[in-house]
């Protein structure tokens, strides 16, 4: 052993050189995604339930807040669980295919839940047939939007967000 070996600093790996991403930035990214997705879908659903009325933006806002406080937190957990489940059940499947499967599943689950809370907010439970029709109209109208958004996000944005959240 020579003096240079003793005096040289330890070699750091690239991961040690990176600073951890602050928690608040991770939370902001997740909230932005939830707002974009939930706002778009509850807007379509509110429009299908009530049309464009003088109170549309108030109705949309209250539908979004109800979905944001009930359905979206559950959806965030379900996304993580479905992703882990897809890795466990389909270990030899390419990541893109697994992400597409998770994306389609989440589109159906989240959209159904948001349609449920939007119908509760917009028409209530008083008449079950009216509630069911409002839920069905919302699901069918928002389904193409939800599938498109989830496919785009699952294949392009989700892998980047997962890397960001792990950093």
């Amino acid at each position: 052993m020579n003096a240079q070996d003793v005096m040289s600093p330890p070699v750091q790996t690239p991961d040690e050189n990176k600073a951890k991403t602050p928690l608040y930035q991770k939370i902001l990214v997740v909230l932005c995604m939830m707002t974009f997705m939930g706002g778009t879908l509850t807007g379509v659903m509110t429009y299908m339930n009530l049309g464009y009325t003088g109170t549309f933006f108030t109705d949309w806002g209250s539908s979004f807040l109800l979905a944001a406080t009930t359905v979206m937190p559950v959806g965030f957990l379900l996304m993580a669980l479905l992703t882990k489940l897809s890795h466990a059940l389909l270990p030899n499947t390419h990541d893109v295919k697994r992400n597409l499967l998770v994306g389609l599943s989440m589109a159906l689950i989240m959209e159904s839940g948001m349609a449920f809370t939007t119908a509760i907010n917009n028409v209530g439970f008083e008449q079950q047939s009216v509630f069911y029709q409002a839920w069905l109209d919302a699901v069918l109208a928002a389904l193409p939007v939800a599938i498109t958004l989830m496919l785009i996000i699952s294949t392009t944005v989700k892998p980047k967000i997962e890397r960001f959240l792990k950093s």
Side-chain angles (χ1 to χ4, degrees):
M1 186 180 275
N2 60 32
Q4 187 175 6
D5 290 337
V6 174
M7 300 298 288
S8 63
V11 178
Q12 291 183 336
T13 62
D15 289 340
E16 291 174 349
N17 292 335
K18 284 186 181 178
K20 287 279 192 184
T21 304
L23 182 61
Y24 78 91
Q25 287 181 357
K26 294 176 181 181
I27 292 170
L28 283 175
V29 167
V30 171
L31 288 176
C32 286
M33 289 301 300
M34 287 173 52
T35 301
F36 173 71
M37 296 288 295
T40 302
L41 294 176
T42 55
V44 169
M45 293 172 184
T46 300
Y47 179 78
M48 291 309 297
N49 287 167
L50 304 174
Y52 187 73
T53 64
T55 61
F56 174 78
F57 290 105
T58 304
D59 296 332
W60 178 12
S62 62
S63 292
F64 171 72
L65 287 176
L66 182 58
T69 57
T70 57
V71 177
M72 289 183 198
V74 172
F76 186 69
L77 294 174
L78 276 174
M79 174 79 98
L81 289 173
L82 281 176
T83 299
K84 284 187 179 191
L85 186 64
S86 71
H87 283 279
L89 295 177
L90 306 166
N92 298 324
T93 306
H94 194 274
D95 283 345
V96 172
K97 289 182 182 178
R98 275 198 311 260
N99 284 337
L100 285 172
L101 180 63
V102 170
L104 284 171
S105 301
M106 286 306 300
L108 295 171
I109 292 167
M110 292 298 293
E111 190 201 345
S112 295
M114 283 192 275
F116 185 82
T117 59
T118 300
I120 288 171
N121 187 62
N122 292 332
V123 299
F125 276 128
E126 290 79 33
Q127 295 177 323
Q128 285 184 341
S129 62
V130 172
F131 172 80
Y132 174 73
Q133 192 62 49
W135 174 83
L136 185 62
D137 290 346
V139 167
L140 293 177
L143 187 61
V145 177
I147 289 174
T148 302
L149 287 174
M150 283 307 292
L151 289 175
I152 291 169
I153 287 171
S154 292
T155 57
T156 59
V157 179
K158 181 180 174 256
K160 292 174 185 170
I161 288 177
E162 285 175 340
R163 282 192 302 274
F164 177 75
L165 293 177
K166 288 178 183 175
S167 67

